[in-house]
């Protein structure tokens, strides 16, 4: 991948980790009235954790970053299939795995020079039929 692509993936990974590291009430506020499926959140985060391996090989992430991303990826992989079904807002309120993921994502962001208290990514767009 080129440097611009690597930089975009790095930014998206850090933004997504900021969302996962945020307090539950902030995550729920970010969601608003939108219904983001838990499975979609898990799959996106797992993909970013896997992609981070290649980014680390190219020096975009350091060994410490990779350690934390691997920990988040492992915990996401442990989420039972039944717990991946339904709205993420419900999972945040009922599944303690999200507390674990939150605590695993925070150290990655705390090692960043700008800290983890960056704005959350833009809210998820509502799903519309046919588009």
């Amino acid at each position: 991948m080129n440097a611009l692509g690597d930089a975009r993936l790095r930014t998206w990974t850090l933004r997504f980790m900021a969302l996962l590291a945020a307090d539950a009430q902030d995550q729920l506020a970010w969601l608003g009235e939108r219904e983001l499926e838990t499975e979609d959140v898990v799959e996106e985060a797992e993909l970013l954790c896997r992609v981070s391996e290649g980014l680390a090989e190219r020096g975009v992430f350091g060994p410490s970053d990779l350690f934390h991303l691997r920990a988040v990826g492992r915990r996401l992989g442990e989420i039972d299939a039944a717990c991946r079904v339904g709205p993420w807002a419900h999972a945040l309120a009922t599944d303690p795995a999200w507390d674990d993921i939150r605590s695993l994502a925070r150290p990655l962001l705390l090692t960043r020079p700008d800290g983890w208290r960056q704005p959350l990514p833009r809210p998820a767009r509502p799903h519309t039929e046919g588009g």
Side-chain angles (χ1 to χ4, degrees):
M1 179 150 299
N2 63 35
L4 180 59
D6 283 355
R8 289 186 71 171
L9 282 171
R10 177 188 175 278
T11 298
W12 179 239
T13 300
L14 292 173
R15 285 183 180 167
F16 210 86
M17 290 302 126
L19 175 60
L20 295 180
D23 293 329
Q25 59 268 34
D26 292 334
Q27 292 168 326
L28 293 170
W30 177 84
L31 280 168
E33 296 297 317
R34 294 162 181 87
E35 289 201 18
L36 188 60
E37 292 295 311
T38 304
E39 183 174 6
D40 295 338
V41 173
V42 170
E43 288 176 359
E44 184 75 16
E46 285 180 321
L47 175 63
L48 290 170
C49 289
R50 285 192 305 274
V51 167
S52 68
E53 297 281 339
L55 292 173
E57 289 173 8
R58 292 188 295 280
V60 176
F61 284 121
S64 175
D65 299 326
L66 192 55
F67 173 82
H68 295 298
L69 287 161
R70 284 176 176 161
V72 170
R74 275 192 305 274
R75 185 61 184 102
L76 286 162
E78 294 170 355
I79 296 176
D80 185 81
C83 295
R84 294 178 183 218
V85 176
W88 190 41
H90 177 73
L92 287 170
T94 61
D95 188 349
W98 294 102
D99 292 330
D100 296 343
I101 292 164
R102 193 173 294 111
S103 68
L104 292 169
R106 285 180 178 177
L108 166 70
L109 298 163
L110 289 171
T111 64
R112 314 283 356 134
D114 51 5
W116 74 274
R117 293 223 179 258
Q118 295 298 308
L120 295 176
R122 284 186 217 93
R125 292 192 178 105
H127 176 74
T128 57
E129 290 297 319

